[in-house]
Each structure stands twice: as C-alpha cells, then as structure tokens.
Amino acid sequence: MTELPQGPQLAHRRLDDLLTEVHSLSPRLSDQGRMHSLLQAVLAIGSDLDLQTVLRRLTEAAAQLVGAAYAGLGVVDEDGSFAEFIPVGFTKEHAEQITRFPHGKGVLGVPLQKRRALRLADLREHPEFIGFPAGHPPMSSFLGVPIQVRGEVFGNLYLADKSGGAEFDEEDEVMVSALATAAGVAIDNARLYEEARQRERWLAATTEITTRLLSGADSPEVLAYLVRQAREIGSADTAAILLPDPRARGHLFAEIADGPIAQEILGTAVDIHDSVCGEVYESGEPKGIPDLRQANCPMLTHRGYGPGLTVPLGTPGNTRGVLLLGKLAERAPFTASTRRMLHAFSVQAGVALELAEARRASERLVVLEERDRIAKDLHDVVIQRLFASAMTLMSTMRLFSSPEAEERVRRTIDELDSTIREIRSTIFALQNPPSHQDTSLRERILKLAESTAYSLGCHPGVGLDGPIDASVPDEIGEQLLAVLGEALSNVARHARATEVHVSVAVEENAGRPATLALTVTDNGVGLPEEGRRSGLRNMEDRARALDGEFFARRGETCGTVLSWRVPVPDDSLPVDAF
C-alpha cells in the first residue's frame, strides 16, 4: 500500500501550486496582510488528514478571513441534500435551540446548482429564501461559495453577517473562493486517507471473521463480533442482525444486537413483506433509510433514531439475514463510501458463514456415517451373540435339577433380554439422531423427569425402549409429555413417595399398529378411595382422543401405577424397526 503524505509535508508540497491558483483568481489580492492570512489558513487546513478536522478548520478560517459572525459548511450527499452540516459562530445555547440545521434547499442550494459564488446584501430578499428554522438567529448579509473536489461539488461554504453590519464585497468573494479552491486539495487527500483507513479496518474485520469461522468458532459468537465491528467502523449508534425463523415464516427477528439499546431490541420481529429490512432480505441489495422514524422498523422507529442503513448478509439469491445500522436523529446519514464498504463486508461475512456451515455439515456427515456403522455392528454382531447366548441358556434349563439354579438362569436370561432391548433402543437413537435445531423426544422426556426431581424429593428412574424418536409423531409426543408432566406433578403433590419410576416404550403388536406405552409407578400412599381426580380425567381424555386407553390403580404392595397407551401410526415406523 502506498503511504499517503502526512500533515505539514502535504501542505508545503502544495504551497507553490496554491499560490499560483490564488494569483490567477484575481490580481487584486495584493494586500500583504490578507494574503498572509489566506496562506496561513491554507497551511492550517492542509496540516491534518482527519476529514472532520479539515472541514471544521476550513469553516473557521473562512469566517476569520472575511470577518463573518457565522459560517457553515454543508457536505453534499448523493441526492443533493446535505449529509452533514458544520456550523461555526453558534454558542452551545444557540445550537441547542435550533430544531434543525439546513439541508441544502432554498437559497442555500443556489451555489450548488449554479456552481458559482452567491453574494447577497440580505439573503431574506432572495426569491429562493424559505425562512429560518425555529431557534435559528436572524441573518442578513450572505456569501455562499461551492467547494469542488476533482470536478465534482463536494459541498457549500457559507458566510453570514459580516462584522460592522457591512456587506460582503468582491474581494471577500475572491478570498473565500481561493480558500475553497485550495481546500479542495486538502479535502480530497483527507477523504482518500479516511477511506483507506476505513477500508483497512473493514478488511481486518473480514479476515478475523473468516479466521474465526473456519477455525471452528460458533456462528452466534462470530455474528456478535460482526455486528460489533459494523457498528464501530460504520460509526453507528446501534446495530442488529435480523435472521429468519423457520417456525415463524414471513418474519425476521433481531437475534444479535450491539449498542446502548441492544437488550431492548433483541427478539423484535419485522414483517418481511412490509418493511425495508424485508425488502433488502428478498432483493439482496443494500438500501439506505433517510429517517427511521418514517420507516416500518419497530425496533428503532420510536427510539429517537434517524439515518439508517440496511445491507444483506450474503449474496443475492442466498441472503442469510440483514444487518441493520442506525444513527440518532441529529447525526449525519451514512456516506456512500460507508454503504459500499459495509455491503462488501457483509457479502464476505455471508460467504464465510456459508463455508463454515458447509464444513460443519461435512463433519456432521462423518459423524452420522460413524454412528450408522456402530449401529450396524451392534445389530449384526452384539445383539445376535446376546440372543444366541440367551437361547443357549433357555435350552439348558431343562437339564437343571435344582430349582435354585433354574431360577438363577432364568434371571440371567431376563437380564440378557433387557440388555438386548436397551441396545436395540440405542441402535434406534444412533440411526435416527435429532437434527441440530430440535431436541429429540427422548431428551425431552429425560429433561422433564429430571426437572421434577426437586418437587418429588428423589430422582425418578427412567426407562426408554424402542424407536421413540423415529416412530412417535410430534403431536403424539406432545401429548405424551403433557401426560407425563401431569403424572409426575400428581406424585409430587399427593403420593409422598421415595421412589418413582417412568417407563416409555414403543411396543410391537403382531398384525396391529404398534403401541406407545407410558407407565409411571411410585411407592407412595396410593390412590385415595375418594377425592378429586381431574388430573386423571385429563390423562384419560388425552388417551381417548388418540384412540388409546388409560388406567390408574394401586400397586401390588403400595403406591400407584399409571398406564397410558396409544397406538402409533404404521407410516411413522421406520422399516425394520423391530
């Protein structure tokens, strides 16, 4: 990267050229004092590469050169209005009283349109004068000079109320025009320097995002870094990333935010079909928002925000979300260069997210293939050997003459049978893992049982058997969880039990649909002979609604046994489920 010239070095390099330009403007600039002041102003303007500093120094120098009480510099945006206005000569109290500063309309727009200076004895008499905003001090004498950079109008320099009540004369006009011409060079260099620094920051942020994603960092963490960098580099007050939610189609949600109101806007929904954010999401093209107070953007519309910027996260046709930036109402809009750099930044970040997701999908595929291999080994080798061992033991039972030995072998066979069922359940879980977005029914059953441990006074035992995740439809799974929650709640409130056992199984029925069976047992006081049974009726109603059955009875020795059984549709069972 070529190093840009710095401060005084740049000013002295341009000094000879500037002197030539000043003399060519008018031979009347012979007064040594004013010439000296002009050159000092040029050197002061060119001694810094910070654009805001250059613009303020230019405005202050112009006011001092011609003895103006007030001065202002309006930076022109792409639409011809002022993207920024720098006032000089206003006290803090005056500035707070003014409801708004000029936007480049009316008499202030004449130098922009004509591209030449405008000098007036009283600006209020000009036909284009549209009045002062509320709180603005009255002004009379006026001088407006356009500032051109590389042949394009960069902005307008305004002077008002010359000292002593005099009018601005031709020499004042020439002096300010010379200053504006010289300032164009300094402004151009400062602007290029600022863009280079900003571009460097965007590139560094993009590299960091790509590195984090491809090194395995979580996407939410990287998106949080992305939105923070976008807000800081884009000089915004608030930034948020809006992402679609497959469970709420037609809306974008503020998933990640940065700024003073970040926590307040998280989770806010935006209609895709009736908002600027939705338009950007569908088109894949960035769009500026002149005033967020007039836009359908619920998260910022009523919070004092004005200029806004929305850019797609990704490429057209493959937009992953929208990055929204907002500035407070009194601040200048986002510049064209900021919009371009932020769009490039978001596109690069979107591509990096896509690559990271593809890498994670490849890793998941490897894991799934390994799970499938393990499941096949368990099914084809381990279960078959256990089954063969159980059959061998059963065939040898008739050889035992001791009832005690026969009972021991029978218990061993039962344990082998139980082990086979558990391994088969594990095989189903390996072959049908839950997606990365959803929690499996097995996990939800375990979490529900674990969450009731405190109210029960003990940790319930949980047994799961059969292809629960693969075969139970979502609507039946929801009913199962509701019944289980009601059953455990009843035990906690009434049973005074020290042991609770939960069993959930998908049972095969020869020639008939399989059955989802839930059994809850405890060692408590048992069912009362009389009393309220609204909870039990709810469980029975849920079973009947699914063509199932429910019963509750006292245990053989103590406690209660609840049984809830419903059929499982055949088309929901995997092939070779049993």
Side-chain angles (χ1 to χ4, degrees):
M1 181 181 294
T2 303
E3 184 178 357
L4 293 174
Q6 300 291 323
Q9 178 186 357
L10 172 65
H12 287 295
R13 183 183 301 178
R14 299 290 187 181
L15 184 56
D16 292 339
D17 295 336
L18 295 176
L19 285 171
T20 302
E21 291 181 13
V22 170
H23 282 294
S24 67
L25 285 169
S26 175
R28 296 179 55 199
L29 288 177
S30 56
D31 182 82
Q32 294 298 318
R34 300 195 76 181
M35 176 64 77
H36 178 73
S37 298
L38 175 61
L39 294 179
Q40 288 296 325
V42 171
L43 287 173
I45 293 169
S47 64
D48 204 296
L49 285 175
D50 179 72
L51 183 58
Q52 293 301 313
T53 302
V54 170
L55 296 180
R56 179 157 292 279
R57 286 182 179 176
L58 169 60
T59 311
E60 293 172 346
Q64 293 173 1
L65 276 176
V66 297
Y70 302 104
L73 191 155
V75 180
V76 180
D77 200 359
E78 291 178 332
D79 61 359
S81 61
F82 288 160
E84 186 175 1
F85 190 83
I86 300 173
V88 168
F90 295 89
T91 64
K92 183 178 180 180
E93 291 73 17
H94 276 159
E96 291 176 349
Q97 292 174 2
I98 299 175
T99 56
R100 63 173 179 80
F101 280 103
H103 295 302
K105 307 300 180 184
V107 67
L108 298 187
V110 175
L112 291 173
Q113 300 165 5
K114 304 294 185 181
R115 292 203 174 196
R116 63 172 182 265
L118 175 66
R119 182 160 42 93
L120 300 171
D122 191 335
L123 66 91
R124 293 169 292 187
E125 296 178 358
H126 193 279
E128 297 289 336
F129 180 71
I130 56 178
F132 297 111
H136 197 286
M139 298 177 179
S140 55
S141 57
F142 174 82
L143 175 59
V145 177
I147 303 172
Q148 299 190 57
V149 176
R150 295 179 182 268
E152 297 182 358
V153 176
F154 173 83
N156 269 4
L157 184 59
Y158 302 106
L159 293 307
D161 285 5
K162 187 171 181 178
S163 60
E167 299 179 14
F168 294 105
D169 55 25
E170 184 179 353
E171 189 169 339
D172 293 328
E173 179 181 328
V174 172
M175 183 72 69
V176 175
S177 297
L179 180 63
T181 300
V185 177
I187 291 172
D188 189 34
N189 280 285
R191 188 170 61 177
L192 291 173
Y193 178 71
E194 184 176 86
E195 290 183 0
R197 289 184 60 190
Q198 194 177 45
R199 187 178 296 108
E200 184 178 356
R201 293 185 67 187
W202 286 124
L203 290 174
T206 302
T207 302
E208 178 66 18
I209 288 171
T210 304
T211 302
R212 290 190 181 194
L213 283 170
L214 298 183
S215 62
D218 293 335
S219 293
E221 174 191 337
V222 177
L223 289 176
Y225 173 81
L226 184 154
V227 76
R228 184 170 62 253
Q229 292 298 308
R231 184 181 73 84
E232 293 176 358
I233 303 175
S235 189
D237 294 297
T238 292
I241 288 181
L242 286 73
L243 301 174
D245 189 333
R247 295 168 296 181
R249 297 184 182 278
H251 289 82
L252 298 172
F253 293 86
E255 298 289 349
I256 300 172
D258 188 71
I261 62 170
Q263 295 302 317
E264 300 175 36
I265 66 177
L266 285 175
T268 305
V270 175
D271 191 333
I272 290 180
H273 306 294
D274 187 28
S275 66
V276 176
C277 293
E279 180 182 339
V280 171
Y281 177 73
E282 293 187 323
S283 67
E285 297 295 335
K287 188 170 185 178
I289 305 175
D291 193 341
L292 285 163
R293 292 168 293 185
Q294 308 299 324
N296 185 8
C297 183
M299 64 191 72
L300 298 179
T301 296
H302 305 296
R303 300 182 186 273
Y305 283 78
L309 179 61
T310 52
V311 294
L313 194 61
T315 56
N318 191 27
T319 305
R320 309 177 65 85
V322 173
L323 176 61
L324 170 66
L325 279 74
K327 292 184 179 182
L328 294 174
E330 64 272 13
R331 297 190 59 199
F334 294 93
T335 64
S337 63
T338 298
R339 288 198 291 270
R340 289 193 298 270
M341 292 182 190
L342 186 59
H343 185 209
F345 172 66
S346 65
V347 168
Q348 293 282 350
V351 172
L353 283 170
E354 189 172 348
L355 289 173
E357 185 173 313
R359 181 182 59 80
R360 285 192 293 269
S362 177
E363 292 174 352
R364 284 197 297 270
L365 181 60
V366 172
V367 172
L368 291 176
E369 290 177 347
E370 183 65 13
R371 290 169 67 107
D372 189 56
R373 184 192 65 78
I374 294 172
K376 288 180 179 178
D377 288 346
L378 287 174
H379 181 273
D380 297 341
V381 180
V382 178
I383 284 186
Q384 299 305 321
R385 289 181 178 177
L386 289 174
F387 187 74
S389 298
M391 294 295 292
T392 301
L393 289 174
M394 290 180 65
S395 65
T396 59
M397 284 181 60
R398 64 177 180 271
L399 303 177
F400 293 113
S401 57
S402 170
E404 182 179 354
E406 184 178 346
E407 178 60 26
R408 288 185 179 182
V409 172
R410 188 178 300 279
R411 283 201 302 269
T412 302
I413 293 173
D414 291 340
E415 289 176 1
L416 286 172
D417 186 54
S418 177
T419 302
I420 290 172
R421 288 198 303 271
E422 290 178 3
I423 294 176
R424 183 176 292 161
S425 179
T426 301
I427 291 171
F428 293 139
L430 287 170
Q431 292 179 329
N432 300 276
S435 69
H436 66 284
Q437 294 179 337
D438 302 321
T439 302
S440 69
L441 182 56
R442 286 172 171 270
E443 291 180 359
R444 296 174 70 184
I445 292 170
L446 292 171
K447 286 181 180 179
L448 177 57
E450 184 65 25
S451 67
T452 61
Y454 180 79
S455 58
L456 289 171
C458 64
H459 287 274
V462 180
L464 304 174
D465 189 19
I468 296 174
D469 291 331
S471 63
V472 179
D474 291 341
E475 58 273 16
I476 296 180
E478 294 296 332
Q479 295 293 328
L480 171 74
L481 292 170
V483 171
L484 177 57
E486 181 74 24
L488 293 175
S489 176
N490 286 343
V491 173
R493 291 199 305 268
H494 308 298
R496 299 198 297 273
T498 59
E499 291 184 13
V500 181
H501 296 277
V502 175
S503 172
V504 180
V506 175
E507 301 172 348
E508 181 184 14
N509 299 315
R512 293 182 295 122
T515 301
L516 173 63
L518 166 65
T519 306
V520 180
T521 61
D522 66 75
N523 65 346
V525 299
L527 287 172
E529 296 297 332
E530 296 181 357
R532 297 179 58 188
R533 298 200 176 190
S534 57
L536 299 181
R537 282 197 299 272
N538 289 338
M539 298 182 208
E540 185 175 7
D541 290 342
R542 291 180 185 274
R544 287 180 177 177
L546 297 173
D547 296 327
E549 59 182 10
F550 168 79
F551 69 81
R553 60 175 175 80
R554 295 180 66 88
E556 294 183 1
T557 57
C558 63
T560 304
V561 178
L562 299 180
S563 178
W564 188 84
R565 303 169 63 85
V566 296
V568 177
D570 290 337
D571 56 1
S572 64
L573 287 171
V575 178
D576 191 25
F578 298 98

